[in-house]
Amino acid sequence: MSGLFDLTGRVALVTGSSRGIGNALARGLAEAGAAVVLNGINQERLKDAEAALAAGFGPGRIHSCAFDVTSDTEAARGIAWVEENVGPLDILVNNAGIQHRVPMLDLDVKDWERVLTTDLTSAFLVGREAARRMIPRGRGKIINICSVQTDLARPTIAPYVAAKGGLRNLTRAMTAEWAASGLQINGIAPGYIHTEMTQNLVDDPDFNSWILGRTPAHRWGTVADLAGPAVWLASEASNFVNGQTIFVDGGMTVVV
Ligand code: NAP
């Protein structure tokens, strides 16, 4: 591991990392040397994920803390737990997110608010708690997981599009207030990623051929494609990268 990208001795928290993209990002940060705290709501799933990841690393490297990222008191409790039990938090990845598909005319305001709270407000709540600890130390990395829907809309996912667009500007707002204190806050916007969740789309010949045709790289992304950009944005190698959102999408958002 090049010294520039080495995360040895760093403490990272990845929200929503009991499965999916968050879990892969946690593995990537751990492989770069960080001690990693996994998070989710479902205790059993989280403990299973912790045991599975810990098997590949030495003692004390992988931890877990269940808390709900949509609650300000829970976010404060979670960050305090990390600092007391693992160490000063160096890296926060705001990854937890949900989707809800329904045409806007039929969309209930409760579902609108649930998606906005989970996909946008959570990054403010957990990010604020992390920044309260990082700012006095004069350093810290916050990575907000956006989406191609940060830039592009699709029918039936209005709250997700609004939340992910907002998350890019929240990344900029955090930069405006916290960059002078030595924090770097950036976003990663994954394209269409082949995961368990999207297997049904990969298996759908029409959708699959639409993705391949719409993506200059002519393939689906993998969770491994996201680890390198996350390690870069978590490391010293990105110390003058502030407020950017990096699209990891095979070029989807630069073509029509
Ligand atoms: P996923 O497989 O559904 O996993 C979601 C994770 O978030 C789980 O660990 C879940 O924990 C956790 N979570 C949900 N609500 C939470 C809450 N209130 N508090 C704490 N944890 C919570 O999701 P994913 O597909 O990997 O997506 C992860 C992120 O990447 C999301 O922000 C998503 O928008 C973004 N993204 C995904 C794709 C894609 O192709 N999948 C593409 C672009 C962007 P529990 O299991 O305990 O509920």
Side-chain angles (χ1 to χ4, degrees), residues 16 18-19 21 41-42 45 68-69 95 146 160 164 197:
S18 55
R19 54 193 158 104
I21 287 173
I41 298 180
N42 184 311
R45 189 179 294 142
D68 184 341
V69 296
N95 165 82
C146 300
Y160 188 83
K164 292 296 184 179
M197 273 190 65

Side-chain angles (χ1 to χ4, degrees), residues 15-22 39-43 45 67-70 94-98 118-119 145-149 160 164 189-195 197-198:
T15 68
S17 49
S18 55
R19 54 193 158 104
I21 287 173
N39 159 263
I41 298 180
N42 184 311
Q43 283 270 11
R45 189 179 294 142
F67 66 91
D68 184 341
V69 296
T70 66
N94 283 315
N95 165 82
I98 56 170
T118 309
D119 293 5
I145 302 303
C146 300
S147 162
V148 292
Q149 272 85 39
Y160 188 83
K164 292 296 184 179
Y192 282 81
I193 305 297
H194 185 172
T195 62
M197 273 190 65
T198 53

Side-chain angles (χ1 to χ4, degrees), residues 11-243:
V11 173
L13 167 66
V14 184
T15 68
S17 49
S18 55
R19 54 193 158 104
I21 287 173
N23 193 259
L25 295 177
R27 176 179 295 281
L29 296 177
E31 283 171 353
V36 174
V37 183
L38 303 178
N39 159 263
I41 298 180
N42 184 311
Q43 283 270 11
E44 200 180 327
R45 189 179 294 142
L46 188 59
K47 281 289 163 200
D48 288 349
E50 181 186 359
L53 194 56
F57 297 93
R61 292 283 305 286
I62 308 298
H63 309 261
S64 70
C65 181
F67 66 91
D68 184 341
V69 296
T70 66
S71 151
D72 58 349
T73 53
E74 282 283 281
R77 181 181 65 76
I79 297 292
W81 186 91
V82 173
E83 297 246 331
E84 283 157 25
N85 293 279
V86 186
L89 183 66
D90 299 292
I91 301 155
L92 166 66
V93 183
N94 283 315
N95 165 82
I98 56 170
Q99 180 62 282
H100 181 75
R101 293 175 198 277
V102 65
M104 223 186 313
L105 292 180
D106 303 324
L107 180 61
D108 192 290
V109 68
K110 285 195 176 59
D111 289 322
W112 166 271
E113 284 169 352
R114 188 167 55 84
V115 176
L116 264 290
T117 305
T118 309
D119 293 5
L120 177 59
T121 308
S122 65
F124 156 63
L125 295 175
V126 186
R128 181 181 59 171
E129 286 308 319
R132 283 175 171 159
R133 311 277 183 147
M134 291 171 171
I135 285 169
R137 297 194 284 262
R139 69 174 216 191
K141 302 275 186 180
I142 298 177
I143 302 170
N144 294 322
I145 302 303
C146 300
S147 162
V148 292
Q149 272 85 39
T150 286
D151 234 18
L152 304 174
R154 275 183 70 76
T156 75
I157 55 169
Y160 188 83
V161 172
K164 292 296 184 179
L167 192 54
R168 174 188 235 172
N169 255 6
L170 178 64
T171 301
R172 292 167 169 156
M174 288 173 164
T175 298
E177 297 201 19
W178 302 338
S181 301
L183 276 61
Q184 289 85 45
I185 305 99
N186 292 289
I188 291 176
Y192 282 81
I193 305 297
H194 185 172
T195 62
E196 267 174 53
M197 273 190 65
T198 53
Q199 185 63 49
N200 59 334
L201 300 176
V202 175
D203 292 340
D204 175 340
D206 289 343
F207 195 88
N208 187 49
S209 70
W210 177 77
I211 288 283
L212 297 183
R214 186 70 185 75
T215 307
H218 202 66
R219 69 169 176 87
W220 286 73
T222 67
V223 288
D225 287 322
L226 303 171
V231 169
W232 170 55
L233 290 176
S235 73
E236 300 287 314
S238 59
N239 276 356
F240 200 50
V241 182
N242 293 91

